Amino acid sequence: MAALCSEFGDLVQIKKQLISVICLCKERGLLHSVKASELAFALAPLPKDELPPSPPFTEEDAQDLDALTLAKSYFDLKEYDRAAYFLKGCCSQKSYFLYMYSRYLSGEKKKDDETVDSLGPLEKGQVRNEALRELRVELSKKHIAGELDGFTLYLYGVVLRKLDLIKEAVEVFVEAIHALPLHWGAWLELGNLVTNNEMLKSLSLPDCWIKDFFMAHMYTELQMIKEALQKYQNLIEAGFSKSTYIISQIAVAYHNIRDIDQALAMFNELRDRDPYRIDNMDTFSNLLYVKSMKPELSYLAHNLVEIDKYRVETCCVIGNYYSLRSQHEKAALYFQRALKLNPRCLGAWTLMGHEYMEMKNTSAAIQAYRHAIEVNKRDYRAWYGLGQTYEILRMPFYCLYYYRKAHQLRPNDSRMLVALGESYEKLSQQAEAKKVGYSCELFLCFRLHEQLNESDDAAQCYMLYIQDIFSCGEQLEHAEVSTALRYLGQYYFKNKLYDEASLCAQRCCDYNDAREEGKALLRQISQVRDQIETPSTDLTPVLNLLIQMV
């Protein structure tokens, strides 16, 4: 392969490198060539005389050619044992990789086949690939002897990761990336094992242009969205403006910070450019669900069924559609189907946990959330879901632990702060609860200030909490809205701010649990309306804005 570019000045050279790695991946049956193909498509076509040469063909390749051709045909038909049988004893690096990869995929297929009918999806993750230990022993010997190329190093890392040997897996993936920097699959596997920014900074990564794509991906995963968006903007300006991969990643980044309108706009642009795309459509459906856009979600579900109804993303989209219609059993069924197709589908585990919560099946919800964490320990939704389930079970020490984990992953998310603060409050750790509340002037501060008879501070905190939620485009639960309006109505009435109090009382009448209090407050206001009203405080403009948004 040609020398690697450290910058984006030579797009022709980058295009050549992408074409070369696409060819190498396809020869080995690796699906990660899709992302390289998407990036290559975003760049200008090369003239015939600029196309990269075919990979070098060794004497060992020539000897193994017939067996490799036959085995690759069986491999493409997913007859992995048959492919491995005809490759046994072959000498070339290409044949050896396909031989070991066939054995690995055979074990994965047998594991899935064994569990689809005999066990439910909640137990599916407990079944192991029986071939892993043998593969590890054989690859370890080759690794010590220095006989593994970039592709077999990648496979060795996957085996170690599957055996939960995380430290060794990270080291091997870094080695694989140095040996073959343009293999995106190795970067992705490494990224799945990075737990925080400090660990990311500690990695010794090659100086290659694709590192920028990896860093942008990791910033998104680690919730460093500002940095991620800047990276993707730089990549667009460097020449990848037509890349659907980058558009999809930007949409996911906006989704992660709950900038729903921007995320929807990016997904709609993605759909215009790539209307038959299924990747990331489950994330798109999450946004439509949050916005309660039932017709759009229905259209998306029907569209994906027409394209491929047996894709994981399609099942998740249909599950979201049924969940929005409050048909939670049907929703759970489709998330189970998604997990039969791919037991490592993070979104399906988390969403199924939500559905079990709706069905009051807390034990099943806990299992689902735990499986989600096994797939990806950075999934704050699963940690938060576990906290909620243990809160329902009235186990405050447990829910505090899980809310802490969620808060560590999403330190600026008001929902995590509120949950964490309420847990401290239930454990009578008032000092800790107040510290959490003040970090973002959120919902919990209201209760604490109220207990201390600090009504002005309580009202300020409550309004800041609502403003924070609405700034993210998220709908509040009725209980939260009505509680806020009840308190603020009484607060303004006591301070003789009757216009503001009346507005809050009128809004209270929109909610069943606050309607009677709202009517009573309106009667009180009418009785004292002729009294002298004091000037509005500086809280009033903010409240008026928030009441309109509610």
Side-chain angles (χ1 to χ4, degrees):
M1 191 179 294
L4 293 169
C5 303
S6 59
E7 298 179 355
F8 291 91
D10 191 350
L11 293 179
V12 171
Q13 187 68 17
I14 289 175
K15 177 92 171 193
K16 289 181 179 180
Q17 293 169 5
L18 287 168
I19 292 173
S20 296
V21 79
I22 290 167
C23 181
L24 293 173
C25 288
K26 283 184 176 179
E27 289 176 340
R28 291 161 176 78
L30 290 167
L31 302 178
H32 306 298
S33 61
V34 172
K35 297 304 177 190
S37 299
E38 287 183 353
L39 293 180
F41 183 78
L43 300 176
L46 295 178
K48 183 179 178 181
D49 56 350
E50 289 282 351
L51 291 174
S54 300
F57 199 74
T58 66
E59 184 64 34
E60 290 176 333
D61 289 329
Q63 291 178 4
D64 296 343
L65 180 61
D66 292 337
L68 182 61
T69 303
L70 179 63
K72 184 60 168 58
S73 299
Y74 295 144
F75 181 93
D76 291 340
L77 294 171
K78 298 185 179 181
E79 298 184 41
Y80 301 122
D81 287 330
R82 202 175 180 191
Y85 175 79
F86 285 98
L87 287 169
K88 192 172 184 178
C90 290
C91 302
S92 67
Q93 288 276 14
K94 194 186 305 181
S95 299
Y96 181 71
F97 172 82
L98 197 61
Y99 168 63
M100 298 298 282
Y101 192 40
S102 296
R103 291 172 61 188
Y104 166 75
L105 290 179
S106 172
E108 288 292 291
K109 187 173 183 294
K110 288 172 182 174
K111 179 191 74 173
D112 291 344
D113 290 347
E114 177 186 343
T115 57
V116 164
D117 297 322
S118 59
L119 296 175
L122 290 174
E123 293 81 19
K124 189 168 186 174
Q126 300 172 4
V127 182
R128 299 294 181 185
N129 180 344
E130 297 297 332
L132 291 176
R133 298 191 183 279
E134 290 183 11
L135 292 172
R136 182 200 171 196
V137 171
E138 294 181 38
L139 288 167
S140 177
K141 291 177 182 177
K142 290 270 190 180
H143 184 233
I144 293 170
E147 298 176 1
L148 299 182
D149 65 1
F151 286 112
T152 41
L153 282 168
Y154 156 75
L155 180 58
Y156 184 32
V158 171
V159 170
L160 291 171
R161 192 258 299 163
K162 287 276 189 176
L163 291 170
D164 294 324
L165 301 171
I166 304 303
K167 183 180 178 182
E168 295 91 330
V170 169
E171 293 173 356
V172 171
F173 283 131
V174 170
E175 191 178 345
I177 289 167
H178 278 277
L180 188 67
L182 292 184
H183 181 212
W184 185 239
W187 290 96
L188 284 181
E189 288 286 352
L190 175 63
N192 288 335
L193 302 179
V194 175
T195 54
N196 52 56
N197 193 35
E198 288 70 28
M199 181 179 177
L200 179 63
K201 290 178 179 177
S202 70
L203 296 174
S204 174
L205 303 175
D207 184 18
C208 172
W209 59 265
I210 202 169
K211 179 182 174 181
D212 284 349
F213 282 90
F214 175 70
M215 295 303 291
H217 169 76
M218 287 311 306
Y219 288 151
T220 304
E221 290 290 306
L222 296 173
Q223 307 302 325
M224 300 167 64
I225 304 302
K226 182 179 178 181
E227 293 84 349
L229 291 173
Q230 184 59 57
K231 276 282 185 185
Y232 284 125
Q233 184 59 40
N234 294 342
L235 290 169
I236 288 172
E237 294 171 359
F240 288 92
S241 59
K242 297 181 180 179
S243 171
T244 53
Y245 167 75
I246 291 179
I247 294 173
S248 68
Q249 290 299 103
I250 292 174
V252 170
Y254 280 125
H255 166 270
N256 287 357
I257 57 171
R258 295 186 291 156
D259 190 338
I260 297 176
D261 292 335
Q262 283 280 10
L264 285 173
M266 295 305 297
F267 272 117
N268 284 323
E269 180 182 345
L270 183 63
R271 293 269 291 168
D272 289 340
R273 293 198 188 190
D274 192 358
Y276 291 93
R277 182 188 184 94
I278 296 182
D279 289 353
N280 307 116
M281 289 301 106
D282 50 339
T283 305
F284 183 30
S285 73
N286 292 341
L287 295 166
L288 298 175
Y289 176 91
V290 169
K291 294 285 281 186
S292 298
M293 300 172 71
K294 194 177 294 183
E296 291 82 355
L297 186 52
S298 175
Y299 174 79
L300 178 65
H302 282 92
N303 182 236
L304 294 186
V305 167
E306 290 177 1
I307 297 170
D308 187 350
K309 66 179 180 180
Y310 295 113
R311 278 283 293 269
V312 170
E313 295 87 347
T314 302
C315 293
C316 289
V317 171
I318 298 172
N320 272 336
Y321 172 68
Y322 281 120
S323 181
L324 187 57
R325 295 183 60 180
S326 298
Q327 296 178 257
H328 300 296
E329 291 184 1
K330 278 191 174 182
L333 175 63
Y334 275 95
F335 294 135
Q336 289 171 6
R337 289 183 182 179
L339 292 167
K340 286 184 178 181
L341 294 168
N342 179 9
R344 288 189 60 80
C345 178
L346 174 63
W349 282 119
T350 306
L351 292 170
M352 191 162 70
H354 296 345
E355 296 310 309
Y356 283 129
M357 285 283 286
E358 292 288 345
M359 293 186 285
K360 313 299 183 186
N361 188 345
T362 52
S363 60
I366 288 171
Q367 284 184 288
Y369 288 136
R370 288 191 184 281
H371 279 298
I373 291 168
E374 286 178 13
V375 174
N376 187 346
K377 289 182 172 57
R378 294 193 304 267
D379 182 25
Y380 77 93
R381 298 170 303 171
W383 292 108
Y384 183 64
L386 280 170
Q388 288 181 310
T389 55
Y390 283 110
E391 189 171 357
I392 290 171
L393 295 172
R394 297 182 181 180
M395 301 171 72
F397 283 103
Y398 280 87
C399 71
L400 177 62
Y401 171 79
Y402 293 115
Y403 284 146
R404 275 177 177 167
K405 288 286 190 180
H407 176 246
Q408 288 169 6
L409 293 166
R410 300 276 290 195
N412 298 320
D413 192 319
S414 59
R415 295 170 300 172
M416 310 303 127
L417 281 165
V418 170
L420 189 60
E422 288 181 334
S423 297
Y424 281 126
E425 187 182 12
K426 289 174 182 176
L427 292 169
S428 299
Q429 298 181 25
Q430 299 292 342
E432 290 296 326
K434 193 168 183 178
K435 189 186 300 181
V436 170
Y438 271 123
S439 67
C440 207
E441 294 104 0
L442 296 178
F443 182 77
L444 179 64
C445 254
F446 147 71
R447 292 180 182 172
L448 299 172
H449 285 304
E450 187 184 41
Q451 290 171 7
L452 299 172
N453 294 318
E454 298 170 355
S455 57
D456 290 344
D457 291 332
Q460 179 74 64
C461 288
Y462 223 149
M463 284 185 290
L464 287 170
Y465 167 71
I466 299 174
Q467 190 174 33
D468 179 79
I469 293 291
F470 275 111
S471 68
C472 298
E474 178 172 317
Q475 295 297 318
L476 286 171
E477 296 294 331
H478 286 182
E480 294 172 342
V481 177
S482 60
T483 301
L485 292 172
R486 280 199 301 262
Y487 179 82
L488 291 170
Q490 292 294 334
Y491 169 81
Y492 282 115
F493 180 78
K494 289 176 183 177
N495 285 278
K496 299 182 180 180
L497 301 173
Y498 300 120
D499 288 339
E500 291 79 6
S502 178
L503 184 57
C504 289
Q506 290 171 26
R507 292 294 182 178
C508 281
C509 294
D510 295 337
Y511 302 97
N512 291 330
D513 59 338
R515 184 169 294 134
E516 292 305 317
E517 289 184 45
K519 290 179 179 179
L521 183 56
L522 286 172
R523 287 193 295 269
Q524 286 180 287
I525 293 169
S526 65
Q527 291 172 4
V528 298
R529 198 72 184 190
D530 57 334
Q531 297 181 19
I532 298 174
E533 297 181 12
T534 58
S536 297
T537 69
D538 59 350
L539 297 178
T540 306
V542 178
L543 178 67
N544 287 337
L545 172 63
L546 295 178
I547 295 296
Q548 291 171 11
M549 296 173 74
V550 174

